[in-house]
Amino acid sequence: MLKRFLKPIKLPASADWAVLILRVGISCLMLTHGYAKLTTFLGGDHSFADPIGIGEELSYVLTICAEFGCSILIILGLGTRAALIPLIITMVVVAAIVHAKDPFDMKEHALLFLLPYIALFLTGPGRFSVDAKLYR
């Protein structure tokens, strides 16, 4: 079951290139957000929002793992669909809970990350990924 979930689907060559560009591009953009949070956290500042009631520090760690760790996995194309799940959840929480009462332009940033994550979840990592090499 896990192998079937992680195994990339066969796409046309042009789509494989498009998925590679989308996968690496969106992950590099998110990586900057995750890296900033990681350096702040390692610097000793553990104050963060607690939108789902699990505690500030745990929320911070989970967000860093998603934005930084999962972005690296997606760039590599390693466990791509599994790595997208925390990022999708994070962006839904940011858009629907953290910025719930804010105007749309405050939610837009999270939604602009959410849409490519959903697209990548549906297409998989493509041929140019570690997943493709592992599941030949």
Side-chain angles (χ1 to χ4, degrees):
M1 174 101 173
L2 181 62
K3 182 178 178 180
R4 190 169 159 205
F5 174 70
L6 293 174
K7 185 178 179 182
I9 59 174
K10 188 160 176 61
L11 299 169
S14 60
D16 278 321
W17 284 104
V19 167
L20 173 68
I21 292 166
L22 182 63
R23 196 182 80 224
V24 173
I26 199 71
S27 296
C28 285
L29 293 171
M30 180 54 77
L31 202 57
T32 63
H33 296 279
Y35 182 75
K37 286 177 180 72
L38 177 62
T39 56
T40 302
F41 185 83
L42 293 176
D45 183 2
H46 296 181
S47 58
F48 195 68
D50 183 21
I52 56 175
I54 59 173
E56 287 183 15
E57 196 165 320
L58 183 56
S59 290
Y60 209 177
V61 169
L62 290 174
T63 302
I64 292 167
C65 288
E67 292 182 1
F68 188 76
C70 291
S71 291
I72 291 172
L73 292 173
I74 293 168
I75 288 169
L76 297 171
L78 178 61
T80 306
R81 283 193 174 107
L84 283 161
I85 293 170
L87 284 162
I88 290 170
I89 292 169
T90 301
M91 292 305 106
V92 167
V93 168
V94 170
I97 299 173
V98 174
H99 293 295
K101 295 179 182 178
D102 295 335
F104 181 77
D105 63 333
M106 296 298 290
K107 298 174 174 96
E108 186 177 15
H109 199 221
L111 296 173
L112 287 172
F113 278 103
L114 178 61
L115 294 174
Y117 290 154
I118 292 169
L120 286 169
F121 188 83
L122 295 172
T123 63
R127 178 174 49 155
F128 307 114
S129 65
V130 174
D131 286 343
K133 303 293 182 230
L134 291 174
Y135 297 104
R136 275 189 203 178

